[in-house]
């Protein structure tokens, strides 16, 4: 029988109104954080990992919703190319690390090797063991170079994961989120549990600790993650530049061309 991950089942689902009010407040703080990152030339990397359907993508979406995409970007790498397979494993992730004044949100990361690649046999045992040895060293190098690294593991129970898969399967707008690899995680539940335990044992370090997010309640998980991220960083208010709306200058005689010379989008809304 599949084993459930340990969690506190006493926490009630967060009411929507409470969630939306606090989310907006925290997103306002994220904009302040962004301005601090830009002004200070900081480099922030946030790693989102966890089981399939654990809520990583929804949390990333809420984190990035009001941020400037020129400053904060999401890195969701596809499967490696044949050329990338011959490179040092961490090499293609290094290309996506932030420069000064940037934030990168990794929707899955180099930890693919500790999870799906290991469990599904997409890497050799030697490659897996090499990853477990090199990863703490790699992350220590990032931190020593000044990168602010935060790692979140989203933990979901087997029953909640199964229910989310079912809803995705029945919803035509979200079915694209469901793949054969996702469904395989059901039959490999315990293997993924062992892989997670081994990953944490090797990579939960003082320099780059893991933070576990209970995510059976998506609303609570999103707020808890954003609040923790904000609380872990020494950001401060950065005064915005003073901007004034200029007066519109008087016309110099410009005449707009006839509308018949241009092709307009039909007014679909007029038929509603």
């Amino acid at each position: 029988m599949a084993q459930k991950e340990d969690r506190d089942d006493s926490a009630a689902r967060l009411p929507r109104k409470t969630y939306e009010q606090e989310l907006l407040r925290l997103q306002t703080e994220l904009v302040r954080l962004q301005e601090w990152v830009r002004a200070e030339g900081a480099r922030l990397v946030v790693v989102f990992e966890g089981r399939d359907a654990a809520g990583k993508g929804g949390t990333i979406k809420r984190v990035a919703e009001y941020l400037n995409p020129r400053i904060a970007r999401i890195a969701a790498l596809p499967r490696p190319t044949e050329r990338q397979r011959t490179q040092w494993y961490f090499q293609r992730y290094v290309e996506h690390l932030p420069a000064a004044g940037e934030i990168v949100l990794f929707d899955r990361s180099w930890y693919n090797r500790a999870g799906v690649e290991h469990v599904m046999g997409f890497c050799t045992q030697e490659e897996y063991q090499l990853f477990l040895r090199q990863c703490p060293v790699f992350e220590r190098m990032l931190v020593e170079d000044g990168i602010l690294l935060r790692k979140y593991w989203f933990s979901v129970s087997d029953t909640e994961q199964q229910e989310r898969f079912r809803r995705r399967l029945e919803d035509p707008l979200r079915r694209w989120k469901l793949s054969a690899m996702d469904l395989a995680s059901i039959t490999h539940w315990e293997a993924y549990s062992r892989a997670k335990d081994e990953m944490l044992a090797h990579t939960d370090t003082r320099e780059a600790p893991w933070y576990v997010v209970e995510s059976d309640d998506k609303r609570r998980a999103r707020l808890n993650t954003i609040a923790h991220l904000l609380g872990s960083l020494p950001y401060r208010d950065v005064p915005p530049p003073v901007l004034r709306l200029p007066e519109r200058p008087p016309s110099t005689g410009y005449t707009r061309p006839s509308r018949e010379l241009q092709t307009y989008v039909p007014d679909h809304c007029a038929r509603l």
Side-chain angles (χ1 to χ4, degrees):
M1 181 177 178
Q3 296 179 346
K4 294 180 174 63
E5 296 192 354
D6 294 334
R7 62 193 64 254
D8 179 9
D9 292 323
S10 64
R13 299 274 176 171
L14 197 66
R16 177 175 293 277
K17 183 177 180 180
T18 302
Y19 163 72
E20 291 177 348
Q21 289 176 341
E22 181 62 7
L23 177 62
L24 184 59
R25 188 190 71 83
L26 291 174
Q27 288 176 322
T28 303
E29 288 298 307
L30 284 170
V31 173
R32 292 178 58 205
L33 169 65
Q34 169 191 261
E35 292 309 299
W36 173 80
V37 167
R38 178 189 56 78
E40 291 291 318
R43 292 172 292 163
L44 174 60
V45 171
V46 188
V47 169
F48 295 84
E49 289 286 347
R51 293 184 184 272
D52 295 312
K56 302 178 297 296
T59 302
I60 293 170
K61 180 179 179 180
R62 272 68 182 186
V63 170
E65 187 170 5
Y66 293 106
L67 301 184
N68 184 343
R70 293 185 178 88
I71 296 176
R73 68 179 185 274
I74 299 170
L77 276 62
R79 66 181 61 184
T81 64
E82 288 303 314
R83 180 176 182 276
Q84 288 171 334
R85 291 178 189 276
T86 67
Q87 296 174 342
W88 177 48
Y89 176 72
F90 295 95
Q91 188 169 336
R92 74 185 189 118
Y93 294 100
V94 169
E95 296 175 0
H96 295 270
L97 292 175
E102 294 181 350
I103 301 170
V104 177
L105 311 173
F106 276 98
D107 185 356
R108 294 198 181 278
S109 65
W110 44 88
Y111 282 100
N112 276 341
R113 176 138 296 177
V116 63
E117 289 190 18
H118 171 58
V119 172
M120 302 306 295
F122 297 152
C123 68
T124 66
Q125 187 64 18
E126 290 75 17
E127 289 171 330
Y128 170 67
Q129 292 297 332
L130 181 62
F131 171 84
L132 293 180
R133 293 195 303 272
Q134 289 188 343
C135 185
V137 179
F138 171 67
E139 292 180 347
R140 188 175 301 117
M141 291 171 64
L142 299 184
V143 174
E144 287 179 348
D145 199 59
I147 288 178
L148 301 167
L149 176 61
R150 300 294 181 270
K151 304 186 302 186
Y152 293 100
W153 175 268
F154 284 70
S155 177
V156 66
S157 65
D158 53 354
T159 53
E160 179 64 21
Q161 184 194 55
Q162 187 97 359
E163 175 60 19
R164 291 178 185 177
F165 282 161
R166 184 194 64 78
R167 291 198 297 267
R168 288 181 180 182
L169 193 62
E170 297 174 354
D171 186 349
L173 296 180
R174 295 192 296 169
R175 189 166 183 175
W176 63 268
K177 290 186 173 184
L178 200 58
S179 68
M181 195 64 61
D182 295 330
L183 297 180
S185 66
I186 297 175
T187 55
H188 292 78
W189 179 271
E190 290 192 4
Y192 274 108
S193 294
R194 295 188 184 97
K196 176 206 68 176
D197 294 342
E198 190 75 6
M199 178 195 77
L200 292 178
H202 284 81
T203 63
D204 186 15
T205 63
R206 180 178 60 84
E207 297 87 357
W210 276 105
Y211 298 102
V212 178
V213 181
E214 298 285 11
S215 63
D216 273 13
D217 182 346
K218 287 185 177 181
R219 297 172 188 169
R220 193 179 296 270
R222 292 165 186 169
L223 298 185
N224 288 343
T225 303
I226 298 173
H228 181 273
L229 175 63
L230 291 167
S232 73
L233 296 165
Y235 73 99
R236 56 174 175 78
D237 267 327
V238 175
V242 177
L243 300 175
R244 291 184 175 86
L245 195 63
E247 294 291 334
R248 191 172 298 276
S251 172
T252 59
Y254 167 77
T255 302
R256 181 176 178 173
S258 172
R259 292 173 63 92
E260 283 71 24
L261 297 177
Q262 297 167 339
T263 303
Y264 284 80
V265 172
D267 188 3
H268 167 77
C269 297
R271 300 193 298 269
L272 298 180

